[in-house]
Amino acid sequence: MNLNELWFVLLGVLLAGYAILDGFDLGVGILHLFTRKDEERRILLNSIGPLWDGNEVWLVTFGGALFAAFPHAYATVFSGFYTAFMLLLLALILRAVSMEFRSKKESRAWRRLWDVLFGAGSGVAALLFGVAVGNSMRGMPIGADMEFKGGFLDLLHPYTVLVGLFVVSLFAMHGAIYLHLKTTGELQQRIQGWIRCSFWVFVALYALTTIYTLVDVPLATRNFGMMPLAWGVAAFNVLAIANIPRAIRRGRPVYAFVSSSATIAGLVLLLGIALFPELVHSTLTDGVSLDIYNAASSPKTLAIMAVIAAVGMPLVIVYTGVIYWVFRGKVELGKFSY
Amino acid sequence: MNVEILARAQFALTVMFHYLFPPLTIGLGGLLVLMEWRYLRTGDPLYESLTKFWTKIFALNFALGVATGIVMEFQFGTNWASYSRYVGDIFGSALAAEGIFAFFLESVFLGVMIFGWNKVSKRMHFFSTCMVALGAVLSSVWIIVANSWQQTPAGFVIRNGRAELTDFAAAVFNPSTVHRLVHVWIGAYILAAFFVMGVSAWYILKNRHVEAAKTSFRLALVMGLVASLLAPLSGDGHGRNVAQYQPAKMAAMEGHFVTGTGATPIYLFGFPDVKSQTVKGGVAIPGLLSFLVHRDFKTPVTGLDKFPRADWPPVALTFQTFHAMVALGLLFILLTVAALFWRWRGTLFEKRWLLWVFVLAVPLPYLANQLGWVAAEVGRQPWVVYGLLRTGDALSKSVTAGQVLGSIIMFGVIYALLFAVWLYILLDKIRQGPEPVNGGAQ
């Protein structure tokens, strides 16, 4: 494996880490809209309270790593998706400050305002991530000068919106399973209902997205011939999804959470297989696709960044593990909670 | 309106708003480590109450710093795509390193620091506080590396129309990194010290939480005094560095138009006028700029006349922001030395007027930090990478003025809202104050 391929894989790892970790806290944010009482909302918020910030760093680091390793892809995608990214930033800002502000006042109107912003911010962020994935599967109008040649509305194709909704349902389900682990009693009972409901919506959207992809997005499976392993990944994904209701029924929510995490990892892997070795596929006949070679930094930078990742990421994994261990178990509201 | 002006305005808005928060968390992080260390050693409930109180203030500011910081990470790609293509090798690496080494550290341990009081041992909690403080410092290291490389690029070669890395250590330790980093830290420590002193002075004046307030004030005074005294020393070194590597910026900071042959004076204040190439209504000390730059009173300092007109930074803005920062820095020395004097006399906390001055002085270091950055960044113009890439060539080619204007309006509205809510909650937390020690007595 050369350095360019290594960085393609590392970015995939960062993206999968982000989608698994922030996925459940975005999901909790979406589900926040369906709660009834103030205490329930606080339990939801505090289930992710100490964790969400570290989870979001996976996205920030993904952005930084893309900038360093494949600056042309970073520049093209972020300037091309300008309006979409501004909306995403707005959603992420509102979501973050809502958590911090919400419980600082007793007023019901105050809390309702931040509750709605928190839920909406989480939902819009998840939707936009899905739309971004949908666009990278379909390809984008990239000119020979590596610049995006479309507008905001070009990004909203039925397929990309479908993938957006698919990601919303995926994160909602993932978040519901996470909440099952963190709650007790009557609330947990209701969360079981949320899991059931989001699971079937997810399965339906998964089927729809798969069919649409196979019929209309040739890019998605072009590498499957070269990599028979891809079929294995797809099969593994189906098994992981099937295991979710089974694990819940048997009272093993940890397995269900592992399964939904594995589902997300599998989907990121499929995305990687579909794209490789490209990062951004151009749909223009006279355009140029950005791949891991023509979009890359110098070999020197890729090598140094690999050293930085090799030193830093094990540390990150250790202390992420520590904090998940410290805050394991059910949510207890106390003096220091949100 | 053209895209360049709009994109620059957006960058200024978002980075200046963002920079309301990190200096406090950098400086307060250090103070929290001190306070919690005392608590750990003595078990004194006063220090426990102080640590918990200032942690709440820290957490609120940290949350705003994170929320507004994510904009910065992506804005290079959205608004400055040509810049991103040009500097990805080096600037991108610094940002990625910041994520891996700093952001993970601070955000993960912040969870323990805020929510973990009853979950982990006191030692583990103290360790978490140290890691958060360290993370804040490391974060400043990498972002300053990135900014300093824009100012004084090193360790690269121009190949394929972009700056490619040749020497990582040279790029990281480029000529201005250390000077800038030290100065930024000093600015952050002054800001946090004045913040803590101002809040504490207010409690003393209102006769609330008096013991806690006096303890906080004394600790912060030491930090504020040391940092204020170090500021001009660091500023001197940084200034000579600017004179050597960015002489046009130095000339603009001092309103120095004509090099001449003899000693160069320094203007204490005045109004530089580009048309007549003079400083109007100013008071100058003969030969002082020559001394500060060359360490003798005779050698002339390079003036703006040595540079093509197209390479001049905006002179008046650079001059005024720089001078205002220096004046504020001198005021901080005056205030902290005065406080030290009366502390030594034992009557500091009876000087109500001085305590009021400290309450009112809280915004001043914020202003000084912002002014310093404006001088540094505007003084770098018209370059985005000094001497290599012009700001006008750094924009995103696929982004229109309308898009940028739309996002400026969006950020303007949201940030105004956030600012109001932040201030409201901050004042509310301050009004509540630290938990009383021994259940009741203040």
Side-chain angles (χ1 to χ4, degrees), chain B residues 310-355:
Chain B
D311 291 353
W312 290 18
V315 182
L317 186 58
T318 311
F319 178 96
Q320 299 300 359
T321 50
F322 173 68
H323 278 69
M325 176 196 73
V326 173
L328 285 169
L330 296 175
L331 179 68
F332 302 147
I333 296 178
L334 189 72
L335 287 177
T336 47
V337 168
L340 181 73
F341 173 74
W342 278 298
R343 164 124 169 71
W344 171 66
R345 294 274 295 265
T347 56
L348 170 64
F349 297 124
E350 290 151 33
K351 298 277 173 231
R352 294 186 68 85
W353 67 269
L354 187 63
L355 294 176

Side-chain angles (χ1 to χ4, degrees), chain B residues 400-418:
Chain B
T400 64
Q403 282 178 307
V404 185
L405 185 63
S407 55
I408 292 181
I409 293 169
M410 180 190 89
F411 283 121
V413 171
I414 291 300
Y415 282 5
L417 175 82
L418 290 190

Side-chain angles (χ1 to χ4, degrees), chain B residues 420-442:
Chain B
V421 178
W422 167 73
L423 201 60
Y424 174 63
I425 292 181
L426 184 67
L427 294 177
D428 198 53
K429 277 186 190 290
I430 290 171
R431 222 171 282 128
Q432 288 168 17
E435 295 263 316
V437 179
N438 300 332
Q442 288 190 342

Side-chain angles (χ1 to χ4, degrees), chain A residues 7 14 46 49-69 71-83 85-90 92-94 96-97 100-102 104-105 110 114 117 145-152 290 296-301 304-305 307-309 311-313 315-316 319-320 322-323 326-330 332 335-338, chain B residues 10 52 56 59-64 66-68 70-112 114-120 124 142 159 162 164-168 395-399 403-405 407-408 410-411 414-415 417-418 421-422 424-425 428-429 432 435:
Chain A
W7 271 103
L14 285 170
N46 284 288
L51 307 173
W52 73 268
D53 189 5
N55 295 345
E56 200 172 277
V57 175
W58 288 81
L59 176 68
V60 175
T61 305
F62 174 82
L66 183 66
F67 191 175
H72 288 297
Y74 170 85
T76 301
V77 171
F78 280 58
S79 61
F81 283 20
Y82 191 88
T83 306
F85 265 109
M86 291 300 151
L87 286 177
L88 176 65
L89 289 174
L90 179 68
L92 291 175
I93 290 174
L94 288 177
V97 297
E100 184 63 30
F101 290 161
R102 179 200 181 268
K104 297 291 190 284
K105 289 268 135 196
W110 172 274
W114 297 113
L117 288 176
D145 56 356
M146 292 190 173
E147 299 288 351
F148 180 73
K149 300 296 177 194
F152 176 57
L290 303 182
S297 279
S298 66
K300 178 109 184 168
T301 292
I304 282 170
M305 288 299 302
V307 173
I308 287 176
V311 174
M313 286 317 285
L315 287 172
V316 169
Y319 42 70
T320 304
V322 168
I323 193 173
V326 166
F327 292 99
R328 70 193 182 281
K330 306 295 180 187
E332 291 159 36
K335 233 173 79 181
F336 302 104
S337 306
Y338 276 137
Chain B
Q10 177 166 326
K52 287 181 178 172
K56 281 194 214 162
L60 173 65
N61 281 279
F62 191 91
L64 270 291
V66 168
T68 55
I70 196 163
V71 177
M72 305 316 302
E73 184 87 9
F74 294 133
Q75 193 168 173
F76 301 107
T78 53
N79 291 36
W80 304 96
S82 302
Y83 171 75
S84 300
R85 296 181 201 280
Y86 192 85
V87 301
D89 260 42
I90 297 149
F91 199 90
S93 304
L95 287 192
E98 186 181 18
I100 291 174
F101 289 130
F103 290 155
F104 276 118
L105 189 68
E106 53 182 357
S107 59
V108 164
F109 283 103
L110 183 80
V112 182
I114 298 173
F115 298 96
W117 286 104
N118 302 324
K119 287 262 185 191
V120 297
M124 177 62 190
W142 287 104
R159 199 185 293 145
R162 49 196 298 278
E164 293 198 347
L165 188 67
T166 54
D167 183 344
F168 186 65
L395 297 157
S396 297
K397 288 183 181 137
S398 61
V399 173
Q403 282 178 307
V404 185
L405 185 63
S407 55
I408 292 181
M410 180 190 89
F411 283 121
I414 291 300
Y415 282 5
L417 175 82
L418 290 190
V421 178
W422 167 73
Y424 174 63
I425 292 181
D428 198 53
K429 277 186 190 290
Q432 288 168 17
E435 295 263 316

Side-chain angles (χ1 to χ4, degrees), chain A residues 206 224 227-240 266 269-270 273:
Chain A
Y206 192 21
F224 275 43
M227 281 183 242
L229 191 70
W231 294 109
V233 177
F236 165 82
N237 232 349
V238 171
L239 287 177
L269 188 54
L270 286 175
I273 292 172

Side-chain angles (χ1 to χ4, degrees), chain A residues 259-275:
Chain A
S259 298
S260 64
S261 302
T263 305
I264 295 174
L267 289 169
V268 173
L269 188 54
L270 286 175
L271 173 70
I273 292 172
L275 290 179

